[in-house]
Amino acid sequence: MTGLRYVYAVCRPFDAALPLQDRLTGVAGAPPELLAHRGLIAVVSTVPEEEFAEESLRRRMEDLDWLTATARAHQAVIDALTAVTTPLPLRLATVFRDDSGVRGMMEESEDDFRRALDRLDGRVEWGVKVYLEKADAADEGTDSSSAASATTGRDYLRQRRRLARTNEDRWQSAEAFAGELHRTLSGRAEDHRLHAPQNSALSGAAGQNVLNAAYLVPREDSEQFVELVDWTKSDAPGTTLGLRVELTGPWAVYSFTAGIGETEEDA
């Protein structure tokens, strides 16, 4: 079996102890290593060519179990790096033939890496999502037993229209709350990204996704940012049942490094 080089991230040299070799397992079970080049560090590991060569990789990316395991291993390495430095994460399954290919990628994107590290050093990403669950007959004050026992077409249509109006009112209220929450959080962050709402059927999260945003925050300001999210949760309109605010992080700065290091791969 021959091996290829899998690249997780690029960062600056760091002094902190990182449990890369002795406790952390990367993609395909291999321990991550540090590859230094021109004042930058690429975090890499060796993966089997049988799985990660171009044609094999294309097939594997359609295998949900394999993809999930690979993504988790990739994320574990990025999380370990984020605890001690500011990594610029590369996209999942970035693979090169050998260390020479990794160095070539670093040289080709060197200016982009350095500009991004100058801008993002010491920052982390926080994710905020707002979800709204649809109302049912019980939520709108209708006796569910009477709703279920409606026997005439007129009663049924009246209940359906009332429920539709309730859901529309709740959606508008949730959008107004999410907009105000985003304005507040943007004012306390250095940058932000608004992502497309998640499809609940794919994400598995309950409810409709009203807000899906990422915020760039200095690491030392993270505690205040988290407290701000907690405080603003209490501003949610009391009439909007089923409204949920989710905060995740701190993450590596994924949303603010799109495209960096994406060169032609040679694996």
Side-chain angles (χ1 to χ4, degrees):
M1 181 182 74
T2 56
L4 303 174
R5 285 307 233 178
Y6 185 104
V7 187
Y8 300 88
V10 172
C11 56
R12 288 201 172 102
F14 51 90
D15 296 327
L18 188 65
L20 288 179
Q21 284 80 19
D22 56 349
R23 285 185 289 170
L24 185 62
T25 299
V27 171
E33 307 166 44
L34 305 182
L35 176 63
H37 186 62
R38 297 167 69 109
L40 295 172
I41 297 289
V43 181
V44 303
S45 66
T46 300
V47 291
E49 184 170 0
E50 288 78 0
E51 289 186 39
F52 287 87
E54 186 174 355
E55 286 300 322
S56 298
L57 185 58
R58 187 174 294 116
R59 291 193 299 272
R60 295 276 183 174
M61 294 294 277
E62 297 176 358
D63 181 339
L64 188 57
D65 291 338
W66 182 92
L67 187 60
T68 299
T70 301
R72 285 176 176 169
H74 178 100
Q75 185 60 44
V77 175
I78 298 297
D79 287 345
L81 285 166
T82 304
V84 297
T85 187
T86 301
L88 302 179
L90 301 192
R91 63 180 169 83
L92 185 72
T94 297
V95 179
F96 294 87
R97 175 67 56 187
D98 50 26
D99 286 351
S100 177
V102 179
R103 292 190 181 95
M105 176 274 293
M106 295 171 75
E107 290 182 12
E108 186 173 335
S109 300
E110 182 176 353
D111 290 343
D112 290 338
F113 283 134
R114 293 190 185 283
R115 278 194 294 270
L117 287 167
D118 287 343
R119 182 170 68 93
L120 301 171
D121 188 35
R123 277 73 173 173
V124 293
E125 176 176 328
W126 289 92
V128 176
K129 296 183 176 68
V130 176
Y131 295 94
L132 177 67
E133 295 186 33
K134 284 189 175 182
D136 56 24
D139 289 336
E140 65 154 351
T142 302
D143 184 335
S144 58
S145 61
S146 64
S149 62
T151 55
T152 69
R154 180 173 297 177
D155 286 345
Y156 175 77
L157 291 175
R158 187 181 299 119
Q159 291 168 7
R160 294 282 296 179
R161 285 196 295 268
R162 189 161 58 236
L163 189 59
R165 283 197 300 271
T166 297
N167 276 317
E168 178 61 26
D169 290 346
R170 288 172 59 164
W171 178 260
Q172 290 181 4
S173 182
E175 281 192 316
F177 168 75
E180 183 59 32
L181 175 64
H182 174 62
R183 283 189 288 276
T184 300
L185 298 182
S186 297
R188 297 291 291 272
E190 291 190 354
D191 202 354
H192 67 268
R193 295 287 185 274
L194 284 173
H195 299 303
Q198 288 185 321
N199 184 325
S200 60
L202 298 177
S203 68
Q208 293 176 276
N209 189 197
V210 185
L211 174 69
N212 182 13
Y215 300 92
L216 183 70
V217 179
R219 189 186 299 271
E220 63 268 22
D221 295 341
S222 286
E223 184 175 348
Q224 293 94 321
F225 186 84
V226 172
E227 289 176 350
L228 180 62
V229 175
D230 288 339
W231 290 337
T232 52
K233 283 181 181 179
S234 62
D235 294 334
T239 56
T240 304
L241 300 174
L243 188 68
R244 186 174 79 258
V245 178
E246 287 188 358
L247 171 71
T248 60
W251 303 109
V253 289
Y254 281 104
S255 297
F256 305 92
T257 59
I260 299 178
E262 292 186 4
T263 62
E264 280 295 318
E265 300 170 21
D266 58 357

